[in-house]
Amino acid sequence: LARSRQLVLKTDERNSKIAITVQNKLRGYYIENAESEPHKLRNRKRPTETKKEEEAWERGEARDKMSSKSFTKEVIYDTDRVKYNIHVENTGEDTSKRNNDDDETLKTEEENWYVDQELRKLAIQEACRGIPRDLSYKHLMEDPKNKLGHMLIDDQRKVIYCYVPKVACTNWKRLWLILNGLSNTTDPLSIPMYLPHAMHGYMMLTNQRLGSKLLEHKLQTYTKFIFVRHPFERLLSAYRDKLENLGPKRKPYWKIAVNMMSKVRKNSHQVNADGRGLRFEEFVRFALANPEWFNDDHFTSYEDLCHPCAISYDFIGKYESLVDDAEHILRNIGAPPEMHFPPFMPWANTSDVINKYYGTLSEEQIMTLYKIYQRDFQLFQYD
C-alpha cells in the first residue's frame, strides 16, 4: 500500500458503540482519492475480537469488564491506495454503576450524527493526503493576521468558529455576540442583521493580543468547527445577495455591477446606472476573466478561508443539515440549554433555483468554475 491513514476515536464506554458503528458503516462508504476516483472500502481483515467477544460486547457483558481500564479495539480497512487503522480507545471511565437503561436512551439519530462527523473528518484527511500538516500549519503562523481572519473565538467555552460568508454566518455571529456577552438579548433574531458584521472584530481570534505560542495553544487545544455548503450553491447565493437583488442597502455594489455590465456588454446603452439587471452568466463570465474577483470573501474557497488541511476541526457542519448540526454543536460546546439556532427559512433556499441559473452557463464555464472550487468539492464530499 502506498500510504496509510489512522483515525483514533477516544471515547467513553457509551460512545464506543458509536465508534463501532463508524467501523461498520465504513464498509459501504466511498472515499474520493486524489484523482477523484471512488474506491469502496473493503473489510479485508476481521476485527481483532472473536465472534463470541463481539456477541458479548453487543449484550453488554464485555463492556462492564473493560470499563475500568483502558483498552483498544482495532479494525483495518483498505483500498488499493490507502489503509485505515481505526482505533477505539476507552478513556477508562467506570460505568459499572450506570443504570442499564442508559443504552436504551442512546438514540439512533444521535449515533448517526456522530458517525457522520467522523466520516466527514475522514474525508478531509483523505483529501489532504500528501499535504504535510506541519508545513501547512507553519504557513498559517507566518501570517496569522491575514490567514486566520475568519476565526471567531469564545474563550469562556474554549471554542473557535471559522465563519464562511453565505453559510449562515450572520446567525452564527448573532449567537457568538450572545455567548461572548456582547449582547443582552437571549433572542438572536432580535439582533439587527448589520450588527454582527459590525461587531465581529471584537470576537476575532487575531484581534487578541497574543504571542505566537499562546495563539498556537488556542488553535491546537480549543474546540473548532466550521459550516460549509455546496460550493456552487454558495457562489449563486452570493451573487443573488450582492449583485442581483440590488436595493438601497446594496449601494456599495452598484458600482461593481455597473462595471461588470460595462465589461461584458458591447452596447453601453444596455448598462443600467443603478447596477440592476446583471445576469448570472454575465457575472460568471466577468469573474472567470478576472480571477482576482474570487479573492472576495464571499467567493473565496473554504480551503483558503479556513485551512482544513492545517487546522484539525472537531465538528464539520453542513448547510444541508444546518439546524440539526447546529443543535448538536451548541450542546457540545456548552452553550446555554435555552440557546438554539434560529429557525431555518426555506424561502431563502438557493438549492430550489440552482438549475435555473446554472442552466444559463456553458459546459466550459461550469467546468472552469468546478476547477476553481475543486478542492472544496473534494474536502467536503460534494458532487
Side-chain angles (χ1 to χ4, degrees):
L1 297 173
R3 293 181 176 86
S4 66
R5 277 287 173 270
Q6 179 171 288
L7 174 64
V8 177
L9 306 174
K10 291 186 176 180
T11 71
D12 58 20
E13 185 272 332
R14 182 183 78 101
N15 285 335
S16 293
K17 186 175 180 181
I18 294 173
I20 293 170
T21 308
V22 174
Q23 295 169 358
N24 292 335
K25 194 167 183 177
L26 278 171
R27 291 190 178 95
Y29 182 65
Y30 285 82
I31 293 294
E32 298 288 332
N33 65 20
E35 291 77 32
S36 299
E37 298 172 357
H39 289 270
K40 188 173 185 178
L41 296 175
R42 295 184 293 276
N43 185 220
R44 293 188 177 178
K45 292 188 179 180
R46 280 187 53 77
T48 55
E49 64 269 46
T50 66
K51 186 174 181 180
K52 287 185 177 180
E53 288 173 333
E54 287 181 350
E55 293 173 350
W57 180 271
E58 289 302 321
R59 291 196 303 270
E61 296 171 4
R63 284 177 291 190
D64 289 338
K65 295 178 182 178
M66 292 175 149
S67 62
S68 60
K69 61 182 180 179
S70 183
F71 71 95
T72 298
K73 294 164 64 62
E74 178 178 345
V75 181
I76 298 177
Y77 298 89
D78 62 68
T79 68
D80 294 338
R81 299 167 180 264
V82 184
K83 179 173 69 177
Y84 296 88
N85 294 312
I86 303 171
H87 297 270
V88 182
E89 298 180 0
N90 194 301
T91 58
E93 179 187 355
D94 187 357
T95 59
S96 59
K97 297 182 180 180
R98 287 186 180 178
N99 191 299
N100 292 332
D101 293 338
D102 283 353
D103 285 342
E104 297 177 7
T105 61
L106 184 58
K107 297 180 180 179
T108 303
E109 291 79 5
E110 184 180 3
E111 288 183 29
N112 288 339
W113 189 84
Y114 284 103
V115 168
D116 287 340
Q117 284 298 307
E118 296 303 330
L119 294 178
R120 290 174 187 180
K121 286 185 280 187
L122 187 60
I124 290 177
Q125 291 178 24
E126 174 65 11
C128 294
R129 180 159 52 102
I131 303 175
R133 184 180 291 273
D134 290 345
L135 290 179
S136 299
Y137 188 77
K138 183 180 179 180
H139 179 63
L140 292 185
M141 292 299 103
E142 291 174 352
D143 187 16
K145 201 74 175 178
N146 289 321
K147 299 293 184 181
L148 301 175
H150 281 247
M151 302 289 177
L152 302 185
I153 190 167
D154 175 1
D155 279 308
Q156 179 182 344
R157 294 165 186 82
K158 296 185 178 181
V159 183
I160 293 174
Y161 157 55
C162 184
Y163 77 89
V164 177
K166 305 313 301 175
V167 190
C169 75
T170 299
N171 281 335
W172 270 113
K173 288 181 181 180
R174 283 168 162 159
L175 294 175
W176 230 245
L177 287 176
I178 298 172
L179 290 173
N180 279 273
L182 296 173
S183 175
N184 294 324
T185 184
T186 58
D187 177 15
L189 290 180
S190 68
I191 301 175
M193 284 193 66
Y194 74 88
L195 196 58
H197 305 295
M199 294 186 65
H200 83 264
Y202 294 101
M203 305 178 287
M204 288 173 59
L205 171 65
T206 54
N207 280 354
Q208 295 185 336
R209 295 183 178 180
L210 304 175
S212 58
K213 289 186 177 180
L214 184 53
L215 175 61
E216 288 187 32
H217 174 76
K218 291 186 177 185
L219 272 176
Q220 292 174 1
T221 62
Y222 279 24
T223 299
K224 297 168 289 291
F225 72 93
I226 178 181
F227 267 80
V228 297
R229 71 190 295 186
H230 194 289
F232 280 0
E233 280 192 22
R234 176 172 171 251
L235 176 69
L236 177 57
S237 178
Y239 155 77
R240 295 179 70 197
D241 181 45
K242 303 299 179 184
L243 296 166
E244 182 183 53
N245 301 320
L246 288 174
K249 295 182 180 180
R250 293 288 182 263
K251 194 169 184 179
Y253 287 89
W254 287 4
K255 291 183 179 180
I256 295 175
V258 169
N259 180 52
M260 287 184 174
M261 284 189 284
S262 65
K263 298 292 185 182
V264 299
R265 294 183 181 180
K266 297 179 180 180
N267 191 340
S268 60
H269 295 293
Q270 295 178 336
V271 178
N272 300 321
D274 60 3
R276 295 177 185 272
L278 178 69
R279 294 186 291 272
F280 183 61
E281 189 278 333
E282 293 175 326
F283 157 70
V284 170
R285 197 181 345 145
F286 176 88
L288 294 180
N290 300 272
E292 67 276 5
W293 181 253
F294 292 99
N295 294 329
D296 183 289
D297 284 357
H298 295 87
F299 305 97
T300 302
S301 69
Y302 303 133
E303 185 174 41
D304 289 337
L305 290 177
C306 296
H307 316 285
C309 288
I311 297 174
S312 181
Y313 286 93
D314 299 280
F315 301 109
I316 297 101
K318 291 195 173 184
Y319 193 78
E320 295 80 7
S321 51
L322 175 60
V323 176
D324 188 41
D325 286 350
E327 183 66 22
H328 277 90
I329 290 173
L330 286 171
R331 304 289 73 83
N332 273 279
I333 67 175
E338 67 275 8
M339 175 179 282
H340 304 282
F341 198 81
F344 181 63
M345 298 178 294
W347 55 85
N349 199 340
T350 303
S351 62
D352 293 338
V353 295
I354 191 169
N355 290 334
K356 169 187 172 184
Y357 285 86
Y358 278 89
T360 65
L361 304 183
S362 67
E363 183 177 346
E364 181 181 359
Q365 287 174 319
I366 292 175
M367 288 306 300
T368 305
L369 285 175
Y370 173 76
K371 290 178 182 178
I372 292 173
Y373 293 107
Q374 183 173 5
R375 292 288 297 150
D376 288 350
F377 278 88
Q378 294 171 345
L379 285 162
F380 299 105
Q381 305 164 280
Y382 285 110
D383 298 325

